[in-house]
Amino acid sequence: GAVVSQHPSWVICKSGTSVKIECRSLDFQATTMFWYRQFPKQSLMLMATSNEGSKATYEQGVEKDKFLINHASLTLSTLTVTSAHPEDSSFYICSANGGDKETQYFGPGTRLLVL
Amino acid sequence: EDQVTQSPEALRLQEGESSSLNCSYTVSGLRGLFWYRQDPGKGPEFLFTLYSAGEEKEKERLKATLTKKESFLHITAPKPEDSATYLCAVVGDSSYKLIFGSGTRLLVRP
């Protein structure tokens, strides 16, 4: 139980294009989903928190217009990296709160490389 | 300010050599302490949630314990497949956000 999927698992794109990453909770409903970014050999950095049907809450320093988050249903949240540039290359991971409301279950991550 | 410190940063064990990882925390009103395992290039895999001091949970070769100031992840007779980074995190009353430690990189040699 408590499985979270992400798609795609990796993506390579040209500078200036937009990339959409999907995060799904497969066997439970998640009212809250989280998006993280992780650089090599570093811990996870929270980018934003999204609640179903409402606007995402972004962490300080994260550009809202660069990283668009939509949480359209209780099982799906999307992160769109708009006009991606090489500095946006990173490992993006989503998570969702499970039934106990405190535990976060993580997706497998999406590796983004912007050329 | 909520804070999590993990030690050691890295640990090398021989297969079968039991050991413990430490997670010290400072949090206002602990709502949960979490252990995750992360393999290179993958998202964290959930291991345990502990809610109150004295609580213990086990899964295969792993056992997590909790006191008011720290948590231990005990690894009994580890195997090479236990090699990974182990992350500790807490959630407190002041925020719904996970506060992560920097992790312990475990290498188990055959």
Side-chain angles (χ1 to χ4, degrees):
Chain A
V3 178
V4 177
S5 70
Q6 276 183 248
H7 178 79
S9 56
W10 59 271
V11 58
I12 301 174
C13 68
K14 292 182 179 180
S15 184
T17 61
S18 293
V19 175
K20 180 183 283 188
I21 303 170
E22 290 188 351
C23 176
R24 294 181 184 271
S25 56
L26 298 185
D27 52 1
F28 65 100
Q29 293 184 331
T31 53
T32 305
M33 288 184 167
F34 304 84
W35 287 95
Y36 294 83
R37 187 172 179 176
Q38 188 175 35
F39 293 103
K41 297 189 177 181
Q42 294 187 24
S43 194
L44 285 77
M45 181 183 74
L46 180 65
M47 299 175 65
T49 303
S50 72
N51 289 290
E52 185 262 340
S54 61
K55 290 185 178 180
T57 301
Y58 291 81
E59 294 301 297
Q60 192 172 8
V62 177
E63 298 177 59
K64 300 178 182 181
D65 296 331
K66 159 70 79 176
F67 300 101
L68 300 179
I69 292 173
N70 183 280
H71 193 158
S73 76
L74 287 173
T75 60
L76 173 64
S77 177
T78 60
L79 168 68
T80 301
V81 183
T82 61
S83 186
H85 288 95
E87 57 266 30
D88 298 323
S89 299
S90 190
F91 190 50
Y92 293 89
I93 311 171
C94 72
S95 71
N97 275 129
D100 65 3
K101 297 183 181 180
E102 302 293 358
T103 301
Q104 289 185 29
Y105 297 92
F106 288 84
T110 297
R111 176 81 55 192
L112 171 64
L113 177 61
V114 185
L115 302 177
Chain B
E1 181 182 348
D2 298 346
Q3 192 170 355
V4 176
T5 303
Q6 290 188 247
S7 62
E9 288 187 14
L11 181 63
R12 289 188 175 188
L13 300 173
Q14 284 294 134
E15 184 172 2
E17 179 186 2
S18 301
S19 188
S20 297
L21 312 183
N22 177 264
C23 171
S24 298
Y25 66 92
T26 303
V27 66
S28 174
L30 180 69
R31 294 176 63 175
L33 183 142
F34 311 89
W35 282 99
Y36 293 91
R37 167 196 171 128
Q38 186 174 26
D39 293 299
K42 296 187 178 180
E45 174 190 346
F46 170 72
L47 295 175
F48 304 108
T49 301
L50 301 169
Y51 293 103
S52 57
E55 190 174 0
E56 298 183 351
K57 289 191 176 176
E58 286 187 70
K59 178 182 178 181
E60 297 179 354
R61 295 179 293 281
L62 300 176
K63 179 180 178 180
T65 62
L66 180 65
T67 71
K68 290 185 177 180
K69 295 183 178 180
E70 58 190 350
S71 176
F72 290 94
L73 184 66
H74 306 280
I75 302 177
T76 302
K79 298 182 178 181
E81 53 262 41
D82 294 322
S83 298
T85 296
Y86 290 84
L87 300 171
C88 174
V90 298
V91 171
D93 281 339
S94 61
S95 173
Y96 56 87
K97 304 173 190 178
L98 276 176
I99 307 299
F100 280 96
S102 55
T104 293
R105 295 190 310 278
L106 174 65
L107 175 64
V108 182
R109 295 174 290 185

